[in-house]
Amino acid sequence: MARVLGTSIKRREDPALITGRGKYTDDLKAEGMAHAAIVRSPYAHARIRGIDTSAAEALPGVLAVLTARDVAAAGIPGVVPVGWLLPDLVTPAHPMIAADTVRHVGDAVAVVVAEDRYLARDAADRVAVDYEPLDAVADVVAALEDGAPAVHEEAPGNVAFDWEIGERESVDAAFASAAHTVELDLRNNRLIPHAIEPRAVLASYDSSTGEMTIHMTSQNPHVHRLLMTLASLGMPEHKVRIVAPEVGGGFGSKIHHYADEAIVGLCSMKLDRPVKWTATRTETNLTDAHGRDHSTHCAMALDADGRITGLRVDTAAAMGAYLSTFAPAVPTYLYGTLLSGQYDIPAIHCHVTGVFTHTAPVDAYRGAGRPEATYVVERLMHLAGDATGLGPVEVRRRNFVSPDAFPYQTQVALAYDSGNYGPAMDRALEMIGYDDLKSEQASRRDNGGKQIGIGFSSYIEACGLAPSAVVGSLGAQAGQWESADVRVHPTASVTVYTGSSSHGQGHETTFSQIVADKLGIAPEAVEVIHGDTDLVQFGMGTYGSRSAAVGGSAIVKSVEKIIEKGKKIAAHLLEASAEDLEYEDGNFRVAGSPDRSLGLGDVALQAYLAHNYPDDLEPGLSATSFYDPANFTYPFGTHVCVVEVDTETGSIELLRYAAVDDVGNVINPMIVDGQLHGGLAQGIGQALWENAVYDESGQLVSGSLMDYAVPKIHNLIPFELDRTTTPCPHNPLGVKGVGEAGAIASPAAVVNAVVDALAPFGISHIDMPLTPEKVWRAVNS
Amino acid sequence: MTVSIQLEVNGKPVQAAVEPRRLLVHFLREDLGLTGANIGCETSLCGACTVLLDGNAVKSCTMLAAQADGASVTTIEGLAQNGELHPLQEGFWEKHGLQCGYCTPGMILSANYLLAQNPSPNDEEIREGLKGNICRCTGYHNIVEAVKYAAERMS
Ligand code: FES
Ligand code: FES
């Protein structure tokens, strides 16, 4: 049987999607369905003096208008919880519907339900809210200043938490004796995830059974069910079924539990009817959790040989108006712990202040903390290359963790399990033709005109989220294992029920390849079910590049159990001893007697026809596993970006982008490359174009696709990809995860390239996004 | 108040009475059940709602159903003929030109219009021709490959 692991088989998901038959949440209809529209605060900070719903209620076809009063009257918990606690974290309540104070533009103040989508919108416009506007603060640095408007009374100085990792004293000592130091003040720009499918929910409550089915845009339906029932609606969990149909991208934004989905659930309960709500793009931008938004001071100390001796990082990280689901973890455990990068750094200290601002919450967005960490480390490495005179390549090489140093214990908690960083750098240089580019750069520097720059980013990420014991000890309120239930049917076809839920990654294809490979059957014989809390018993979902490493490993574990069980059945049927049986290519064989064998089909059938089994053998052929990884996985790579900068106009043209990634073993190379492409587009977008801008009064200036520059096809170039392969040593597939790599590595590569191009102008840093205006100003200042 | 409209959708005549303000995309999705055209921004900026109107790629979120009176509309559901995928559909499948698939119907219909204008576009022309359609998943790399694949198949 040909191996199916490692082959680019076409995606089984696609036929429905390319013919328009894929069903996303907004495509669904239910009998008697009504439509909700949510009334949102136009102010970043205001007291609600009163709400008059009468004009809305008077419109024919309007079924209900609910406010915070109705949430209170329903006797439900009515809040949106945070799921990750830090020591001394301030956790102000986040009400589903704001009662007396709104804290960001877009905060929900009322909901209207009507017979028709248009009518609901009309009625929402007739809800009159009397606001008393209050001073607001949207900027993460301004929010920490004395006298800044307070977002929550219980958080003096707008501080949500104060967190540190590493040893300050040893870092201070390193700086005191450093031969070279480099430092930087930088902003990591706030981003809006922009899944092209806006968030949507269809909640169908049935009072006759007390059950509710919620179809929604979710990356993790079980997590949503838990938070929705426990903290928002106060329903017994077994009475709520959450289904994620086709999900049109998420990138983190559909991990989190939001007020809106809970509000729609409440509407359905109140009306005893199905209620649908779909965000507009503007609502999405106002309420989806944003990403990044750091202000950082960082510095690196090096000895006379260019070896790093210390790294110091101090970051203010915006949390927004409320703490979103995983928000506190992102700028701490997914950021501070990554600051060793690919380097052997003997002393690191990182201090992070979590800051409330009158903006949309900030939470995990593709990469979540790791792009921010990579940006800090790789920008400093660029400067270190200059300061030491070693240049960007040699300074990195000199500091790479050596291949024989693994497992490598960093100074910031993580222990890298495996890695070999040099070859990825070598390959990247070769792909890009580094020496030729350097001479081209030199001649342009001599001749003037458009300049070219070459930027590197040698990144590390920790993914395969997550070893439960580790994240539990770090404040997660849940383990991050994954489940897989694999059932072999009597005809030897297989159904896999996985808790890892796809929103575009092609889980069904990839997971079928895993099962087909391990069982020696055709991928077509394997069905993969995900995204439904009634079908899948429990799961943690898709984020943190975890689906293959954790979800896939759970599947392998179940398949292994099935093979063991199958051996017992085959042994019984063949009158052999189970210890003597081997399984290969779909057959159970007695070792040493090749003619005594049974196919999986025979065994599966007999597993269900069982009538003469010995006492210790149960009928059936299925297995459930919960796989909890021993460690994170540590993908790495080196990316090189080449840009041309027009120093007259400040405009930047991408010339080349080469990425060499090591994501461990690869199940489906086509899908893996696709994940990299998408991540690169988002990271390059952050570096060059994307920016969520709030003005001083807290209005989101970039609230639509007119003002927020998601990369378009003509902005980007073909990506040049290659891989090295260092398998993950601690999971059965040797895979590490690839969903976030592109977004983690690329911002630093792009910015380093532009700064490199502008080196003759004495420019060492420009904050993202590198708009022509900023570049022009830098050149002309 | 409603206006009555007559049009052809995917080759079939359709007659309906619609509210004057009803958007074409809602008419297609909700009244005709053709949910292939998706809504990503409702402001003419993402292209997810693209359909062909008398052969031109239009954003159906920015057009009233009433304006489509008398027109011939093709949605993604009408692209495959006699159970055979259109070469663009094949190309997107073959070259992994989609991930979540939300942008895909619009992307395919815009590419269809592009190929009707220019049957053998180079990379740059493909990128120029599809700049009204946003894809957040693929980084566009494989979308270019998919369109090239289709162009070759169609020539
Ligand atoms: S929905 Fe029509 S262009 Fe975005
Ligand atoms: S495939 Fe997801 S937006 Fe294009």
Side-chain angles (χ1 to χ4, degrees), chain A residues 196-197 248-249 251, chain B residues 97-104 107 134-138 143:
Chain A
I196 296 299
E197 178 199 27
F251 318 110
Chain B
L98 64 149
Q99 291 179 24
C100 78
Y102 201 76
C103 70
T104 312
M107 201 61 92
I134 292 177
C135 174
R136 191 58 156 165
C137 296
T138 64
I143 290 179

Side-chain angles (χ1 to χ4, degrees), chain A residues 267-629:
Chain A
C267 291
S268 179
M269 290 164 80
K270 281 283 260 190
L271 293 169
D272 201 8
R273 283 178 68 163
V275 178
K276 180 154 83 182
W277 169 81
T278 302
T280 62
R281 176 58 46 189
T282 298
E283 281 184 292
T284 295
N285 292 354
L286 289 173
T287 63
D288 274 16
H290 294 177
R292 323 291 188 243
D293 203 357
H294 287 192
S295 172
T296 293
H297 176 78
C298 53
M300 185 179 270
L302 300 101
D303 67 16
D305 295 330
R307 284 184 213 287
I308 308 166
T309 54
L311 174 66
R312 178 188 285 151
V313 179
D314 196 343
T315 292
M319 291 285 102
Y322 306 103
L323 296 174
S324 174
T325 310
F326 286 131
V330 175
T332 53
Y333 295 111
L334 294 174
Y335 171 71
T337 56
L338 270 295
L339 288 169
S340 201
Q342 295 190 358
Y343 312 109
D344 182 13
I345 306 182
I348 302 176
H349 181 260
C350 171
H351 171 246
V352 181
T353 311
V355 184
F356 288 113
T357 53
H358 288 109
T359 65
V362 179
D363 202 333
Y365 163 62
R366 202 170 197 164
R370 290 152 290 167
E372 297 92 311
T374 301
Y375 188 66
V376 166
V377 175
E378 290 304 292
R379 284 295 296 119
L380 287 173
M381 288 309 279
H382 182 93
L383 299 183
D386 288 344
T388 57
L390 294 173
V393 176
E394 182 52 29
V395 75
R396 285 180 170 83
R397 272 196 214 289
R398 207 164 274 199
N399 286 288
F400 282 158
V401 174
S402 123
D404 51 24
F406 292 92
Y408 173 79
Q409 178 62 53
T410 68
Q411 297 304 309
V412 276
L414 297 182
Y416 300 166
D417 55 11
S418 63
N420 188 6
Y421 303 142
M425 169 67 92
D426 296 343
R427 179 70 189 120
L429 292 173
E430 181 185 37
M431 284 164 72
I432 211 86
Y434 187 54
D435 295 338
D436 291 349
L437 280 171
K438 286 297 284 181
S439 33
E440 164 81 14
Q441 182 181 53
S443 80
R444 296 233 199 162
R445 281 184 179 169
D446 291 344
N447 300 330
K450 292 183 183 176
Q451 296 296 307
I452 63 168
I454 309 152
F456 292 84
S457 177
S458 295
Y459 73 97
I460 182 96
E461 56 170 323
C463 54
L465 269 48
S468 298
V470 178
V471 294
S473 71
L474 299 178
Q477 299 300 293
Q480 288 179 329
W481 44 264
E482 194 48 88
S483 75
D485 178 5
V486 178
R487 301 183 197 165
V488 183
H489 303 297
T491 52
S493 67
V494 177
T495 303
V496 177
Y497 298 83
T498 170
S500 173
S501 176
S502 178
H503 48 290
Q505 297 87 347
H507 287 41
E508 295 171 30
T509 302
T510 302
F511 288 166
S512 74
Q513 285 179 261
I514 294 174
V515 176
D517 190 87
K518 300 288 169 207
L519 281 181
I521 60 177
E524 295 74 35
V526 184
E527 177 80 5
V528 178
I529 307 283
H530 60 87
D532 185 330
T533 59
D534 261 16
L535 296 177
V536 177
Q537 61 162 338
F538 208 90
M540 286 295 162
T542 292
Y543 49 84
S545 303
R546 68 192 303 273
S547 291
V550 189
S553 295
I555 293 172
V556 173
K557 217 172 148 185
S558 284
V559 170
E560 283 167 356
K561 288 182 191 168
I562 281 170
I563 292 173
E564 285 317 302
K565 173 79 181 290
K567 282 181 184 171
K568 288 188 189 147
I569 297 172
H572 166 67
L573 297 170
L574 292 167
E575 297 180 345
S577 151
E579 291 83 70
D580 294 338
L581 280 169
E582 297 168 340
Y583 186 75
E584 215 191 322
D585 288 347
N587 289 299
F588 294 92
R589 288 197 194 89
V590 180
S593 348
D595 49 331
R596 291 175 71 201
S597 81
L598 283 172
L600 178 65
D602 303 311
V603 171
L605 185 63
Q606 292 307 322
Y608 293 96
L609 298 183
H611 52 89
N612 60 355
Y613 278 11
D615 288 348
D616 59 349
L617 191 56
E618 286 178 18
L621 194 55
S622 70
T624 299
S625 304
F626 290 76
Y627 176 82
D628 199 345

